[in-house]
Amino acid sequence: MKFEVVGIDYDNRINNFMVSARADYEWYLEKTQGSEENLAIQRDIIKGSKPYKNLRADLKIGCILPTIVLAVRNIDASVTNNYSENDGFITASRDDLDTLQNAIANTTPANVDIVDGLQRTNALRQTLMELNDEERSIFLQRSLRLEIWINIAFFPLAYRMLLLNAGQRPMSMKHQIDILSGGLAEDLQDLPGIEIIRLKDHKRRVRPGQFHLSTLAQAFQAWMQRSPNVDRTNLVVETMVVDEALESLGIDLTDNDGNQRDGFRQFVDWLLQLDRALGEDQNRFFGNDTVVLGFAAAIGFAHKNETLQDRLPSAMTKMIDNANTDQENPLGVITFDQIRRSVDTKRSNVGEATRGLVFRAVREYIMQDGTTPMAECWTQAASMM
């Protein structure tokens, strides 16, 4: 078993020293055995959740866990008296760090509380149970990082724990993707002909190839969830969508060819080619967010469907070719406009109806491997409204 103290810091808000440390899984699991029950105010362990199923799979591969926070009681920490509480960056001697290391190493599980990392600890234990003897030996030697609050009283401990967990309310997928949108822009900005408009640019789309970053972020969500419309105010539905997206991302991340990243980039590349084919005369078609989201959902659906994924590249090639050669009604845009204008605004939400129309029409085109013109696909999709 391995355990190493690498530094100490002082928190002036809760008036306590914190030790930074590293340990292998074997040391950590032994020291925290039963500590899940030490704090009655801890959250219940989540069981059977897809995110934690994915985490266990990642642990088997050898992922690095985010730092786990512990509280350890009843240890001799007198060496901390050698350091000023006002020192913003404490440089402790190796001898003092070794003293703390030995004191913490000799503590018992009864004196250890998991402040932040209950679910990760449970995932470690469940993963260990799923391994054979040889795999367990390798698994237990892996390292994780620890924050250890030494001799912390209950009330500052409770404050610290509630502060850590305050941000762990379910976050909508839209919120998560909005946070990641900067990285999404960087990943797409080298595609030929694209111009990504950010909120701070205060610009509007005036030509093909220009897309607002917010539209692309929403398109990524639609592409992942394979549906143009999801009731995001329904927590159960939102949780199912996030679980599905996590599972999808996890599966694709295991592919050596970077399938997930390249799949969405391919969609955006097709979108750009179609946008250019329509030209400035039909600039408003893909300038409509509902159209982009419908396309994204349909292509995401086909990308992850065993039956349709082989037809997808050839169907999209045909769609782009037809859009470039059809001068009268490229992509059946005239037919689309006629159908959209016929939507009864008193009975239907126009945005949802349009996204659904686009999704069904594009999906039908792919199912037919591009053998049915888009104008006919719009009509077929409208019959399902």
Side-chain angles (χ1 to χ4, degrees), residues 324-356:
N324 278 305
T325 57
D326 188 347
Q327 300 298 317
E328 295 183 4
N329 192 17
L331 285 185
V333 171
I334 296 173
T335 308
F336 164 79
D337 284 336
Q338 292 172 342
I339 294 172
R340 190 178 59 163
R341 285 196 295 268
S342 69
V343 174
D344 188 344
T345 57
K346 294 181 181 180
R347 299 178 56 186
S348 304
N349 179 297
V350 176
E352 289 189 4
T354 302
R355 286 191 292 271

Side-chain angles (χ1 to χ4, degrees), residues 329 331-332 335 339 361 364 371-382:
N329 192 17
L331 285 185
T335 308
I339 294 172
E364 183 65 27
T371 59
T372 302
M374 272 302 296
E376 292 184 25
C377 290
W378 292 123
T379 302
Q380 292 175 17

Side-chain angles (χ1 to χ4, degrees), residues 31-220:
K31 291 299 180 182
T32 58
Q33 183 67 47
S35 63
E36 294 94 331
E37 287 76 46
N38 288 350
L39 282 174
I41 58 175
Q42 278 276 27
R43 293 174 299 149
D44 291 337
I45 292 174
I46 300 173
K47 296 181 179 179
S49 169
K50 283 187 179 179
Y52 288 99
K53 180 180 178 182
N54 292 346
L55 175 57
R56 293 196 301 275
D58 290 346
L59 284 168
K60 292 176 183 178
I61 297 171
C63 74
I64 296 177
L65 284 172
T67 301
I68 291 176
V69 183
L70 301 178
V72 180
R73 299 180 299 276
N74 300 320
I75 66 167
D76 181 4
S78 57
V79 294
T80 59
N81 295 331
N82 297 335
Y83 303 100
S84 170
E85 298 171 358
N86 296 318
D87 190 346
F89 195 101
I90 296 174
T91 303
S93 71
R94 187 64 251 176
D95 286 343
D96 287 344
L97 294 178
D98 287 343
T99 299
L100 286 171
Q101 182 173 303
N102 291 332
I104 296 170
N106 290 325
T107 196
T108 63
N111 288 317
V112 178
D113 296 324
I114 300 172
V115 181
D116 185 61
L118 182 64
Q119 313 300 344
R120 280 162 276 166
T121 304
N122 181 57
L124 282 170
R125 296 194 189 283
Q126 288 192 30
T127 303
L128 183 64
M129 293 172 60
E130 296 169 5
L131 301 175
N132 60 40
D133 290 342
E134 182 178 351
E135 291 170 331
R136 286 187 180 192
S137 178
I138 297 172
F139 182 78
L140 289 171
Q141 294 175 38
R142 292 181 181 144
S143 68
L144 76 161
R145 297 157 297 160
L146 301 170
E147 279 183 21
I148 303 175
W149 296 88
I150 51 178
N151 298 331
I152 187 170
F154 176 79
F155 285 105
L157 172 61
Y159 175 84
R160 180 68 182 170
M161 189 186 68
L162 292 172
L163 187 67
L164 284 167
N165 291 337
Q168 294 188 8
R169 297 175 182 176
M171 183 188 296
S172 72
M173 184 193 294
K174 183 180 186 303
H175 190 182
Q176 295 178 64
I177 294 171
D178 285 346
I179 291 172
L180 297 172
S181 62
L184 181 64
E186 290 181 9
D187 195 51
L188 299 175
Q189 64 184 2
D190 64 332
L191 290 174
I194 195 170
E195 181 185 345
I196 299 175
I197 302 172
R198 298 172 184 263
L199 184 63
K200 64 180 181 180
D201 296 333
H202 301 292
K203 292 174 62 176
R204 62 185 181 88
R205 173 186 161 101
V206 295
R207 61 173 177 78
Q210 292 180 317
F211 290 96
H212 286 89
L213 180 55
S214 59
T215 300
L216 295 173
Q218 291 178 71
F220 183 58

